[in-house]
Amino acid sequence: MRITKRIAFAISAAALMASLGAASAQELNLKIGTEGAYPPFNNLTADGKLEGFDIDIANALCEEMKAKCEFVTQDWDGIIPALQAGKFDAIIASMSITPERAEKVDFTHKYYNTPSALAGPKDSDIKGVAKADLAGKTIGVATSTTHFNYATQTYTDSEIKGYPTSQEFLLDLANGRLDAVEDDISVLEEWLKTADGACCKLIGQPSPQPVEIFGEGAGIAVRKGETDLVNKLNDAIKAIRANGKYKAINDKYFTFDVYGAES
């Protein structure tokens, strides 16, 4: 009888261990790639801490998916190749969903959508954002971005100066080395509140903002064919929009809903 009980206990214990092992195997572990140089969306502080809207959204999505996540910082120009090489599993870095990028990665639905804008010195003689308004001017913009694509295609009578990050061209604008810069309106508005940004003002927003250049909004990029991860992330985006977590994060950084119109 004791032998029978011992056998039964052993079988039960083995079943429990197998169950725990299966649960552990199903745990979602993700590495999230981000730039860390694009406030207020993602920024690396002096003490090495990542902060910003993208970071808070990523943490909320990971919590919703019950996933264990860690962040990896990566220069913008190499962020898609790094994803493809397996350095991380997803990019949450304000990446616009465009047809060109969709040939290289798969995207979730958007998690925000804000317009492009131009800024310049407060004493600038630039009156608008049309091609003629910027003729002969030097415009700073980050390379490998939708803003760079728009500027090079639209302002053909201007000098377009490319930079690795927005922080670098904003510094040049503040120091009088540029006539204007183009970037996300939220990034520019946040910078204008700083001491360096006191020099400058918003000039305006290009209109219309062509979807074929700017895309449908910012999405999360994953490697091609990872449909299951895309679905999990889409479900999580929908969930945090519904349960109020998205709004709490939104209101921490912005005075308006950055998600934009429902699609």
Side-chain angles (χ1 to χ4, degrees):
M1 191 69 173
R2 284 182 190 171
I3 295 174
T4 304
K5 285 182 177 179
R6 286 175 183 171
I7 292 172
F9 177 80
I11 292 172
S12 177
L16 177 60
M17 291 301 292
S19 175
L20 290 173
S24 176
Q26 291 173 1
E27 184 180 39
L28 188 58
N29 293 281
L30 294 176
K31 289 185 178 179
I32 307 296
T34 196
E35 183 186 11
Y38 198 56
F41 293 101
N42 58 79
N43 187 48
L44 196 61
T45 63
D47 60 357
K49 180 183 176 184
L50 277 168
E51 63 181 10
F53 178 80
D54 287 334
I55 308 307
D56 288 359
I57 288 292
N59 283 324
L61 296 176
C62 290
E63 182 181 357
E64 188 65 35
M65 296 186 296
K66 296 179 172 55
K68 183 179 179 182
C69 296
E70 64 176 291
F71 290 95
V72 179
T73 55
Q74 169 68 48
D75 290 344
W76 180 258
D77 285 351
I79 204 164
I80 287 180
L83 172 71
Q84 293 169 325
K87 187 175 179 180
F88 34 80
D89 305 299
I91 298 170
I92 303 183
S94 294
M95 180 172 283
S96 297
I97 304 165
T98 66
E100 180 184 1
R101 288 173 180 155
E103 293 177 1
K104 303 173 184 176
V105 299
D106 284 344
F107 280 105
T108 64
H109 302 319
K110 70 172 184 179
Y111 64 96
Y112 82 85
N113 189 13
T114 49
S116 181
L118 282 89
K122 284 184 175 177
D123 60 356
S124 174
D125 61 355
I126 299 172
K127 303 300 182 184
V129 296
K131 177 181 176 179
D133 295 318
L134 278 298
K137 306 296 185 181
T138 302
I139 305 170
V141 63
T143 56
S144 301
T145 66
T146 55
H147 307 289
F148 184 83
N149 293 342
Y150 181 82
T152 53
Q153 292 178 40
T154 304
Y155 301 119
T156 53
D157 293 333
S158 307
E159 179 187 353
I160 308 302
K161 189 172 180 180
Y163 291 79
T165 69
S166 61
Q167 292 172 330
E168 292 173 70
F169 66 66
L170 290 172
L171 181 62
D172 270 6
L173 178 64
N175 289 330
R177 291 190 283 267
L178 293 170
D179 298 305
V181 297
E182 183 179 345
D183 207 336
D184 184 286
I185 191 170
S186 302
V187 172
L188 295 176
E189 286 183 337
E190 185 70 14
W191 179 72
L192 290 172
K193 298 174 187 175
T194 68
D196 287 341
C199 63
C200 301
K201 64 180 180 180
L202 279 180
I203 297 171
Q205 299 176 39
S207 182
Q209 304 226 339
V211 175
E212 62 271 18
I213 296 178
F214 290 111
E216 307 163 9
I220 301 169
V222 305
R223 283 181 289 277
K224 275 289 186 182
E226 297 195 353
T227 307
D228 185 56
L229 180 54
V230 169
N231 291 338
K232 283 183 170 67
L233 288 163
N234 278 335
D235 288 344
I237 292 169
K238 184 177 180 181
I240 67 170
R241 286 282 296 167
N243 64 23
K245 290 182 181 179
Y246 184 98
K247 185 179 187 305
I249 295 169
N250 183 105
D251 293 352
K252 177 180 173 182
Y253 296 97
F254 309 108
T255 58
F256 61 97
D257 184 3
V258 295
Y259 188 80
E262 295 287 348
S263 55

